[in-house]
């Protein structure tokens, strides 16, 4: 029987399965596309992870009943599909950890992954796995450090030890809200950083956006009780630094395409678009000033241009930092 279940056989879910199975841990990797999963089972590879082998310790399936009734479940599906995915899981989950590996805010409910898990599966124990990481790096066994956030003081440390591997180091945090908001908000700022570079505005402008973006992240997360220390750690500043400076980041690439006025591959999930919209709506409801998030929402939905958004940001009243 598998010791761990990974739901979502995209690049990140498959990379996690590869990393977690390197020491012989038995993994069940589930994906919804039966044909794609059959092909992966035969080839022992994922087209989204070129050159990466899926060992025989990974059971590849499209049958949800195969997830069994024990061991943690890691869900690596897009944030906007998490609610529906949770509804499809019917196995007994009492005392079982469900670890959300997606980053964002649900656009319909304005809730984060931990709240969605708690509401859909009240007998389970919600946790968040987040931080600066790319699927290709994890799959190749490159050194990666992540935050595992879980409020349960018994389950959290146990999960930390179970999921930590030789080249995958996990730091446990009780601040679930801070961890999930850090992972969500940094995607919004990454789009802005990408637009800045794509428009040819330079690295100095990107650094300013990242810095003021971090201020927005602290302002928003602080309103909901997150700890500043969390936002300055791996799940906040660490993830922000990675996604704002690398072409591997889908959110950065999307922003860069906006800056260049180019079309972007519609099949690629860009979590920051929905998050920017959700953050803008929430900020308006609670009276928070989130100018970069509002600008990203406007440019990503075609309501304004990158230059118009920049001019709006630069024309804001001068103030003390």
């Amino acid at each position: 029987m598998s010791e761990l279940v990974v739901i979502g056989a995209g690049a990140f879910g498959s990379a996690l399965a590869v990393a977690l199975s390197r020491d012989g841990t038995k993994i069940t990797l589930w994906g919804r596309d039966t044909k794609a999963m059959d092909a992966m089972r035969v080839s022992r590879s994922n087209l989204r992870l070129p050159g990466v082998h899926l060992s025989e310790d990974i059971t590849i399936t499209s049958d949800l009943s195969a997830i069994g009734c024990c061991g943690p479940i890691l869900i690596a599906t897009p944030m906007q599909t998490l609610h529906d995915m949770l509804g499809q899981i019917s196995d007994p989950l009492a005392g079982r950890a469900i670890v959300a590996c997606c980053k964002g805010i649900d656009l319909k409910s304005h809730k984060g992954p931990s709240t969605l898990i708690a509401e859909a599966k009240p007998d389970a124990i919600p946790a968040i796995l987040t931080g600066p990481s790319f699927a290709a790096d994890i799959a190749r066994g490159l050194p990666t450090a992540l935050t595992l956030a879980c409020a349960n003081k018994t389950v959290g440390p146990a999960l930390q030890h179970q999921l930590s591997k030789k080249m995958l180091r996990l730091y446990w945090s009780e601040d679930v809200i801070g961890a999930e908001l850090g992972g969500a908000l940094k995607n919004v700022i990454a789009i802005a950083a990408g637009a800045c570079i794509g428009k040819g505005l330079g690295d100095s402008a990107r650094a300013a956006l990242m810095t003021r973006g971090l201020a927005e992240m602290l302002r928003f997360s602080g309103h909901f009780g997150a700890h500043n220390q969390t936002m300055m750690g791996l799940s906040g500043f660490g993830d922000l630094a990675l996604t704002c400076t690398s072409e591997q980041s889908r959110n950065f690439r999307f922003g860069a395409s906006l800056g260049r006025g180019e079309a972007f591959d519609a099949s690629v999930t860009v979590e920051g678009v929905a998050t920017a919209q959700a953050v803008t709506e929430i900020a308006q409801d609670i009276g928070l000033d989130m100018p970069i998030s509002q600008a990203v929402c406007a440019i990503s939905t075609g309501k304004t241009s990158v230059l118009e958004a920049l001019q709006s940001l630069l024309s804001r009243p001068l103030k003390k930092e």
Side-chain angles (χ1 to χ4, degrees), residues 136-159:
D137 293 348
I138 292 176
R140 291 167 56 199
L142 299 179
T144 304
L146 299 174
T147 296
L148 176 74
C150 180
N152 187 300
K153 295 182 179 181
T154 300
V155 174
L159 270 177

Side-chain angles (χ1 to χ4, degrees), residues 253-254 257 262-270:
R253 294 201 312 274
F254 174 75
S257 71
E262 299 173 354
F264 191 76
D265 185 352
S267 68
V268 176
T269 301
V270 182

Side-chain angles (χ1 to χ4, degrees), residues 12-85:
F12 197 74
S14 296
L16 282 175
V18 169
L20 295 171
S21 67
R22 281 203 174 94
D23 60 357
T25 297
K26 302 298 182 182
I27 309 291
T28 295
L29 175 63
W30 178 90
R32 68 175 65 254
D33 189 327
T34 300
K35 290 184 178 179
M37 300 307 286
D38 288 343
M40 285 176 58
R41 192 181 305 112
V42 172
S43 67
R44 309 306 301 183
S45 64
N46 185 325
L47 294 176
R48 298 184 183 182
L49 294 172
V52 175
H53 177 70
L54 278 66
S55 75
E56 296 297 332
D57 289 317
I58 303 172
T59 299
I60 300 170
T61 183
S62 58
D63 179 6
L64 261 183
S65 66
I67 69 173
C69 59
C70 63
I73 300 173
L74 286 74
I75 303 183
T77 58
M79 178 62 203
Q80 301 308 316
T81 68
L82 178 60
H83 179 269
D84 291 341
M85 187 68 249

Side-chain angles (χ1 to χ4, degrees), residues 182 185-186 189 213-222 231 236 240:
L185 295 168
K186 61 88 186 178
I189 309 306
L214 180 59
E216 285 197 16
M217 291 169 63
L218 288 164
R219 188 183 310 132
F220 189 89
S221 62
M231 303 307 291
L240 177 71

Side-chain angles (χ1 to χ4, degrees), residues 296-312:
V296 169
C297 180
I299 64 174
S300 62
T301 55
K303 294 179 180 178
T304 190
S305 69
V306 173
L307 277 181
E308 288 171 337
L310 176 66
Q311 290 168 354
S312 176

